[in-house]
Amino acid sequence: MQPVRLLILGTGGMAKNHAEGFTAIPGVQLVAGIDTRPEQLAAFQAAHGIPLGFTSIDEALAWGGFDAVTNVTPDAAHHATTMPFLAAGKHVLCEKPLATNARDAEEMAAVAARAGVVNMVNLSYRNVPALHKAAQMVREGAIGEIRHFEASYLQSWLTQPAWGHWDSEPQWLWRLSTAHGSKGVLGDVGIHILDFATFIAGIEPAEVSCLLQTFDKAPGGRIGDYVLDANDSATMQLRLANGALGTVAATRFATGHLNDLRLRLYGQTGGLEVRFEKGESALRACLGDDVQTGTWHAVACPPVPTIYQRFIAAIRAEGPAEPDFARGAALQRLLDRAEASAAEGGRLLIV
């Protein structure tokens, strides 16, 4: 088994998940962390048994005793912090979105390809068993040519404090402010539902129309240093390359839904329904003779490896590097076009 020495870049909330996920893999060593905040970095090192800490990327690269990096910095920092590691020939797993605009994401994908390193983006719902089973069934022709789909990502954290108080805690407030690097619900969770739908369908989008809405949430539209101007709800219409039409919605105002994804996919010979609710996924299908009566049945979905396991497997040449930076860049192009469409009142744009 090839040992892998891993460096964690950024020690915020998601970094804990990365540390625990990688520590559970045999042969993986967490050898160092990077954060510009020395006290937080030291606490993170102590919590996860990480021997070395650096306050800059340059210091870590000068040391060089690592094979791969997992980038858990804020969205707006992904491009600037990933590029030096690609130049140094290090494998990189980057949190989503790959970048905050298509230009930067495409540069990251191109440089990673030239470097010949493993490059992956953490689209966390690729860990959902029902997603992979549904994609497999589509590839095998179970529902025939796709004609229509409906997808949604429903969150309610602007209507209840189950995850924390959005109006007083920085880990939520920054997501509502473009000045703090947020692209709103479109960039935060829209990327997940767009990947969810188009990965399962196996067809790239050709055209997009989008509407975005930001709601008043505080007097004067701000709380302290946070101007609450990022979008809260997004609706999109997509035309896929084969002509299939679909709707995609994402919102933080879906009262009663803490964190739920849904996809209904209809082909000429059958239909699929994928759900991820309360941390569990499920798949239903209407196939064969059941199409005549509209009868749906549950489909068993075997477990799938985590993103952390897939990243290490790719480094060890034991599996594909998916989703890679090229996929992250393609999704960012779609998000940029959706944002441009919204700026023009929802005009249909070619992707």
Side-chain angles (χ1 to χ4, degrees), residues 235-247:
T235 60
M236 287 168 272
Q237 293 191 84
L238 293 183
R239 191 192 311 275
L240 301 184
N242 73 335
L245 294 179
T247 58

Side-chain angles (χ1 to χ4, degrees), residues 11 16 29 49 59 62 72 115 131 149 179-180 198 209-210 218 222 226 268 285 291 312 315 317 333 336 350-351:
T11 62
K16 177 177 182 291
Q29 297 175 286
E59 290 176 2
V72 205
L131 177 145
F149 65 95
H180 288 78
T198 57
S209 168
C210 178
R222 69 183 301 148
Y226 298 89
Q268 288 185 298
V291 170
I312 298 303
I315 292 172
R333 284 194 296 273
D336 281 13
I350 294 172
V351 176

Side-chain angles (χ1 to χ4, degrees), residues 241-313:
N242 73 335
L245 294 179
T247 58
V248 179
T251 184
R252 291 168 173 152
F253 277 102
T255 305
H257 292 276
L258 296 186
N259 194 63
D260 300 340
L261 289 82
R262 298 176 175 179
L263 172 68
R264 296 179 177 91
L265 192 63
Y266 305 108
Q268 288 185 298
T269 60
L272 296 175
E273 181 183 70
V274 184
R275 288 175 176 257
F276 180 82
E277 298 180 349
K278 296 183 178 178
E280 298 291 336
S281 73
L283 174 62
R284 296 197 311 152
C286 180
L287 307 171
D289 292 341
D290 287 336
V291 170
Q292 305 303 318
T293 58
T295 302
W296 292 72
H297 296 285
V299 177
C301 303
V304 297
T306 67
I307 183 67
Y308 314 116
Q309 292 169 326
R310 298 200 308 276
F311 181 58
I312 298 303

Side-chain angles (χ1 to χ4, degrees), residues 157-159 166-167 172-173 175-177 213-223 227-233 252-253:
W157 57 266
L158 285 175
T159 69
W166 67 267
D167 55 353
W172 305 113
L173 277 169
R175 298 176 185 270
L176 306 176
S177 173
Q213 186 65 44
T214 303
F215 296 96
D216 291 334
K217 297 178 287 295
R222 69 183 301 148
I223 296 175
V227 177
L228 311 182
D229 59 346
N231 58 83
D232 303 310
S233 290
R252 291 168 173 152
F253 277 102

Side-chain angles (χ1 to χ4, degrees), residues 88-290:
K90 305 296 184 180
H91 308 295
V92 180
L93 169 65
C94 185
E95 267 297 327
K96 65 81 193 169
L98 186 59
T100 53
N101 61 74
R103 181 188 65 253
D104 286 350
E106 288 165 354
E107 182 184 13
M108 293 166 73
V111 171
R114 289 197 298 269
V117 297
V118 171
N119 56 95
M120 295 175 65
V121 58
N122 184 19
L123 298 169
S124 53
Y125 294 99
R126 289 290 186 99
N127 301 330
V128 172
L131 177 145
H132 287 274
K133 183 62 178 180
Q136 176 190 344
M137 293 175 69
V138 170
R139 308 296 186 273
E140 293 172 349
I143 64 172
E145 186 73 10
I146 293 169
R147 290 290 180 251
H148 187 82
F149 65 95
E150 304 165 4
S152 62
Y153 193 137
L154 307 175
Q155 290 184 334
S156 60
W157 57 266
L158 285 175
T159 69
Q160 47 70 27
W163 293 359
H165 292 275
W166 67 267
D167 55 353
S168 61
E169 298 178 1
Q171 66 264 39
W172 305 113
L173 277 169
W174 82 266
R175 298 176 185 270
L176 306 176
S177 173
T178 59
H180 288 78
S182 176
K183 287 283 193 174
V185 73
L186 178 66
D188 188 16
V189 303
I191 190 171
H192 284 306
I193 195 61
L194 288 168
D195 181 63
F196 205 81
T198 57
F199 172 72
I200 294 175
I203 306 170
E204 292 304 309
E207 295 175 287
V208 62
S209 168
C210 178
L211 292 176
L212 301 174
Q213 186 65 44
T214 303
F215 296 96
D216 291 334
K217 297 178 287 295
R222 69 183 301 148
I223 296 175
D225 294 332
Y226 298 89
V227 177
L228 311 182
D229 59 346
N231 58 83
D232 303 310
S233 290
T235 60
M236 287 168 272
Q237 293 191 84
L238 293 183
R239 191 192 311 275
L240 301 184
N242 73 335
L245 294 179
T247 58
V248 179
T251 184
R252 291 168 173 152
F253 277 102
T255 305
H257 292 276
L258 296 186
N259 194 63
D260 300 340
L261 289 82
R262 298 176 175 179
L263 172 68
R264 296 179 177 91
L265 192 63
Y266 305 108
Q268 288 185 298
T269 60
L272 296 175
E273 181 183 70
V274 184
R275 288 175 176 257
F276 180 82
E277 298 180 349
K278 296 183 178 178
E280 298 291 336
S281 73
L283 174 62
R284 296 197 311 152
C286 180
L287 307 171
D289 292 341
D290 287 336

